[in-house]
Amino acid sequence: MKKSLLFTVVWLMSLGVFAQPFVLRNVLQKNQNAVPEVMNSPKVLKAPQHALSSGQYYCGLYTTDEYEEIGSGLVSISGVCKVGTLFASDIYQGFLNFKVVGMRVALCCNVTQFSVYISKTQNGSVLNATTVVEKSVGSGKTGWNTVMFDAAECFTLSGSDTYLTGYSYYQKKGTTDDCYPISYVEGTNPNADLFVYANIPASAGGSGLGWYDVTGGGSLAVQWIVEGELPDQNVILSDFSTEQFVKSGGSLPCKVQLTNMGSTAISSVGFSVSVDGVNLSEVSSTVSVASAEKKTATFNVNIPSSISVGKHTLKLELSKINGAAPTGNVGGTLPEKVFRVYESSVARQKYLIEHITSWTCTYCYLGYNVLRKIESSHDDVAWVAVHGNQSSNQDPYFFSTCNDILSYLNVSGFPSAAYNRLYITELAEGPSLAYGLGYNESFTDQAADYVYGLMTSYSAKIPSQVKLEIEQSYDKSSRKLDITVKGTGVSKAAQVIDDHCMFIYLTEQGLVGQQYSSGAWNNSFEHNNTLRAVLTDVYGDQITWSGDNFTYTTSYTIPADYNADNLSITAFIAPKPSSQIEEMAVNNCERVAVNTSSTGIQTIGMGGDIHEVARYTLDGKQLTAPAKGVNIVRLSDGSIRKVIVK
């Protein structure tokens, strides 16, 4: 189920003002009075108020009659506001040489001082957009509002311009239902932009009059009405996806997005399927796609048990439209996809969370809130805080290797986090594995449950092939730490994940220092799980298999200014980082505390000294000492205990 949270993750950036990439504020608020309705049906279908004439079509980030009945608004201010989203050339590529003859806007309540506009941007920037058409309507009503342009206002689509498209309205201050007019459809297009132009004071989370980026995982309910003549059959294929693992003899779920830019409606499609370049079968999908509409075709490819265990490539070609061979244009090339056939699996040990933070990031403490809550509630997470530099500010816990991690995770802002290096569509903010973690404080518990649930559900599709055990030996006098990671694989594990590498992180707890938080310095902030060293190549070290098992060894001399008693080892196996971010998922991960109590080899999980590594309150706040009441204690073997302190 997409977007099960009852709130919107809202990023706010005053364009050209703030230096940091993203700044979170609770500016765009959802109507909390209507939350029970959100749980039941967040999206509804409404009949369009304008009957399209022959040759007219809806064009936008989505083309259905869908809109969000539960509205959002800038409820801390009053006055005329402008909202908009970007329509790049890929949105209207099938309508080149068509005329834009109107717009429609969905509202969640009645508004006054209502007008619609389309502006041409300069290189996609809203700051220097020039108005193409702006039309005053006066008042807008709940539901779809259709505005047709006069002949002189219509314009022809050509070239590759990007247009800012939206509307103005009078924003009421308060929390009544008529303060939430903006319909922002979650899940329709998680990469879509949402901008507002308003006079937002600092007390309401802004910096005065200007444009603000409040992108948050959906689409503004605005669409163009375009007019022209489509060919009889013209299909564009895109967004081919499939699962990465399939059990021998099982079915591989697949999805392909179809954009119907022909005048003939599509009722079904067929694909020819080849594996490793050899034709395998044909599959079909019943999917209803009207003209100028996008839909996703879903189907399963049956994998014969005769196909060997290991990596394979899958390729699709459109072979039928409405039961017959295509007669028109078929655009878009579907890339080959890698999938892995496996026989069995082992239990997942830990879920890796790579937390992206910076000491000068004013809202990074919000990310800590969520992760502390997750860590205090679950004993199967390995949280690693990777520090980056913001602008010219040097973070004291940053080292050069951190930049490599930020680079291959495609990090675009602070705070954020990668979850088992999974590409999670519900959280996707572009081609990145690091997703925004700046949830408003009032939603910390919900956010923790939400992201943990997504991480575990997506990880279930990546069956672990190897159990990891970490052996260690520490010499107090030399501060040398010897580490051996043993991998015990299931049958044919080496064939399934032969391209996976070993990664080892060293982290430190309890680093008390500065953190910029909500516009002021906190000089006693506790930085936890801080990455201090990468003991393998940052892109991973090759695994040498012995049958379906392996042993990896390394050594590290702990610097004198690191507290060895507060260090932990996180070992995980994953593919070597690449541009194919959907294929970087962690296969398994283990984490143990560094054992400084004695010399000699200690096998964690097989005995050895088990000690406390972190302590929390029930609400997830980390403690530096026992506090009266119920304490949540995390031990070095990964287990969690509840302790009553009197």
Side-chain angles (χ1 to χ4, degrees):
M1 178 179 178
K2 293 177 94 63
K3 291 291 177 185
S4 59
L5 276 182
L6 307 182
F7 64 95
T8 304
V9 183
V10 181
W11 298 103
L12 166 65
M13 179 175 67
S14 179
L15 302 182
V17 177
F18 288 106
Q20 59 194 84
F22 297 108
V23 180
L24 178 142
R25 297 280 192 171
N26 192 23
V27 171
L28 186 68
Q29 297 180 345
K30 181 167 283 189
N31 185 357
Q32 297 301 310
N33 298 333
V35 159
E37 297 177 49
V38 176
M39 296 177 67
N40 296 324
S41 179
K43 298 170 189 173
V44 294
L45 297 177
K46 297 289 185 181
Q49 296 178 359
H50 169 76
L52 291 178
S53 302
S54 176
Q56 291 183 345
Y57 306 93
Y58 292 119
C59 172
L61 296 166
Y62 65 99
T63 55
T64 66
D65 296 330
E66 193 174 82
Y67 76 93
E68 182 78 72
E69 276 193 314
I70 308 307
S72 300
L74 304 168
V75 300
S76 298
I77 65 173
S78 61
V80 176
C81 299
K82 180 180 284 189
V83 296
T85 191
L86 296 179
F87 284 12
S89 58
D90 61 325
I91 300 300
Y92 59 83
Q93 63 177 325
F95 294 117
L96 291 177
N97 300 316
F98 278 53
K99 281 188 175 181
V100 179
V101 297
M103 280 177 59
R104 68 170 180 169
V105 172
L107 299 172
C108 297
C109 64
N110 296 340
V111 298
T112 59
Q113 300 187 48
F114 179 58
S115 63
V116 300
Y117 72 90
I118 300 173
S119 299
K120 185 185 293 187
T121 68
Q122 299 295 322
N123 298 319
S125 171
V126 304
L127 295 176
N128 300 309
T130 56
T131 301
V132 177
V133 57
E134 186 167 11
K135 189 154 190 168
S136 176
V137 182
S139 61
K141 56 186 177 181
T142 304
W144 284 106
N145 295 260
T146 299
V147 181
M148 301 305 294
F149 299 152
D150 296 333
E153 297 169 323
C154 299
F155 64 98
T156 300
L157 293 169
S158 61
S160 57
D161 293 312
T162 296
Y163 295 90
L164 180 66
T165 300
Y167 56 92
S168 301
Y169 71 97
Y170 186 85
Q171 172 69 56
K172 292 184 178 181
K173 184 176 182 179
T175 56
T176 55
D177 287 352
D178 59 352
C179 297
Y180 300 91
I182 301 171
S183 177
Y184 188 64
V185 185
E186 295 180 358
T188 51
N189 191 324
N191 303 326
D193 298 288
L194 176 60
F195 299 98
V196 298
Y197 184 83
N199 189 6
I200 305 174
S203 59
S207 58
L209 182 65
W211 279 105
Y212 295 84
D213 183 347
V214 290
T215 300
S219 301
L220 185 66
V222 293
Q223 296 168 354
W224 290 345
I225 299 173
V226 298
E227 188 173 270
E229 185 176 349
L230 290 175
D232 179 58
Q233 195 178 87
N234 184 14
V235 180
I236 301 172
L237 306 176
S238 61
D239 296 343
F240 172 32
S241 64
T242 186
E243 302 293 354
Q244 296 181 43
F245 286 77
V246 60
K247 206 160 190 178
S248 181
S251 294
L252 192 63
C254 297
K255 295 180 180 179
V256 176
Q257 188 175 81
L258 307 171
T259 303
N260 183 9
M261 298 311 300
S263 59
T264 301
I266 296 174
S267 59
S268 67
V269 290
F271 293 93
S272 60
V273 179
S274 60
V275 172
D276 301 330
V278 178
N279 186 61
L280 177 66
S281 62
E282 290 213 357
V283 294
S284 61
S285 175
T286 300
V287 56
S288 177
V289 194
S291 293
E293 191 176 35
K294 290 182 182 180
K295 285 286 185 69
T296 299
T298 60
F299 49 91
N300 291 321
V301 174
N302 293 323
I303 303 299
S305 56
S306 58
I307 291 181
S308 63
V309 169
K311 284 176 59 177
H312 299 275
T313 58
L314 177 72
K315 188 170 181 61
L316 300 180
E317 289 187 7
L318 186 66
S319 57
K320 290 182 180 178
I321 298 176
N322 298 340
T327 57
N329 178 60
V330 176
T333 300
L334 298 181
E336 284 189 341
K337 291 291 183 180
V338 172
F339 69 96
R340 302 169 192 264
V341 177
Y342 74 101
E343 289 185 346
S344 59
S345 61
V346 298
R348 185 168 293 276
Q349 294 165 273
K350 295 287 191 295
Y351 298 99
L352 176 69
I353 300 178
E354 291 166 291
H355 171 209
I356 312 304
T357 187
S358 182
W359 77 314
T360 57
C361 163
T362 191
Y363 294 105
C364 276
Y365 77 95
L366 295 171
Y368 275 95
N369 289 348
V370 174
L371 295 181
R372 283 172 177 155
K373 181 63 181 178
I374 291 175
E375 188 179 55
S376 69
S377 303
H378 304 280
D379 61 3
D380 55 0
V381 294
W383 166 13
V384 176
V386 183
H387 284 246
N389 288 326
Q390 198 175 62
S391 301
S392 59
N393 297 305
Q394 180 76 23
D395 189 295
Y397 306 124
F398 166 84
F399 54 100
S400 61
T401 307
C402 294
N403 265 348
D404 294 306
I405 299 172
L406 269 62
S407 176
Y408 63 60
L409 294 178
N410 286 330
V411 173
S412 58
F414 305 90
S416 54
Y419 305 106
N420 253 359
R421 298 189 177 176
L422 296 161
Y423 184 73
I424 302 175
T425 56
E426 285 89 340
L427 299 175
E429 297 159 356
S432 174
L433 296 180
Y435 313 112
L437 194 55
Y439 295 92
N440 186 272
E441 286 184 273
S442 60
F443 298 117
T444 296
D445 289 356
Q446 289 170 284
D449 290 343
Y450 179 56
V451 298
Y452 180 81
L454 284 175
M455 179 174 63
T456 55
S457 64
Y458 271 74
S459 295
K461 302 173 184 178
I462 311 293
S464 298
Q465 298 294 291
V466 176
K467 179 181 178 182
L468 302 177
E469 292 182 4
I470 301 174
E471 293 182 352
Q472 58 174 304
S473 175
Y474 177 64
D475 184 277
K476 290 185 177 181
S477 59
S478 66
R479 296 179 67 84
K480 182 183 178 186
L481 177 65
D482 293 318
I483 298 171
T484 298
V485 180
K486 293 184 176 180
T488 304
V490 298
S491 174
K492 301 181 182 179
Q495 294 173 227
V496 181
I497 55 172
D498 65 326
D499 58 345
H500 282 41
C501 298
M502 172 59 63
F503 298 80
I504 300 179
Y505 289 161
L506 192 70
T507 60
E508 186 172 355
Q509 290 286 103
L511 291 168
V512 178
Q514 285 190 316
Q515 177 65 51
Y516 199 60
S517 301
S518 295
W521 284 104
N522 179 346
N523 294 318
S524 58
F525 189 86
E526 186 167 346
H527 296 272
N528 295 308
N529 302 294
T530 303
L531 180 64
R532 299 296 254 164
V534 178
L535 306 188
T536 57
D537 187 279
V538 69
Y539 282 81
D541 282 351
Q542 184 80 29
I543 291 174
T544 301
W545 294 88
S546 176
D548 291 315
N549 306 319
F550 67 82
T551 299
Y552 178 92
T553 60
T554 190
S555 297
Y556 180 70
T557 300
I558 298 173
D561 59 339
Y562 291 11
N563 186 341
D565 291 321
N566 289 345
L567 297 177
S568 293
I569 304 162
T570 297
F572 61 98
I573 55 173
K576 187 177 288 290
S578 71
S579 60
Q580 303 300 314
I581 61 172
E582 290 131 333
E583 299 173 6
M584 285 171 54
V586 172
N587 191 263
N588 214 348
C589 174
E590 181 60 298
R591 181 177 193 168
V592 300
V594 170
N595 188 339
T596 62
S597 62
S598 63
T599 58
I601 292 178
Q602 293 282 340
T603 303
I604 304 300
M606 305 292 289
D609 180 50
I610 298 175
H611 56 279
E612 178 180 328
V613 295
R615 182 178 289 256
Y616 305 87
T617 60
L618 279 174
D619 61 0
K621 182 179 179 181
Q622 185 145 15
L623 298 168
T624 56
K628 188 176 181 179
V630 178
N631 292 194
I632 307 297
V633 178
R634 183 164 66 84
L635 302 177
S636 59
D637 66 348
S639 63
I640 288 178
R641 301 286 186 271
K642 285 187 178 180
V643 178
I644 298 177
V645 179
K646 297 183 179 180

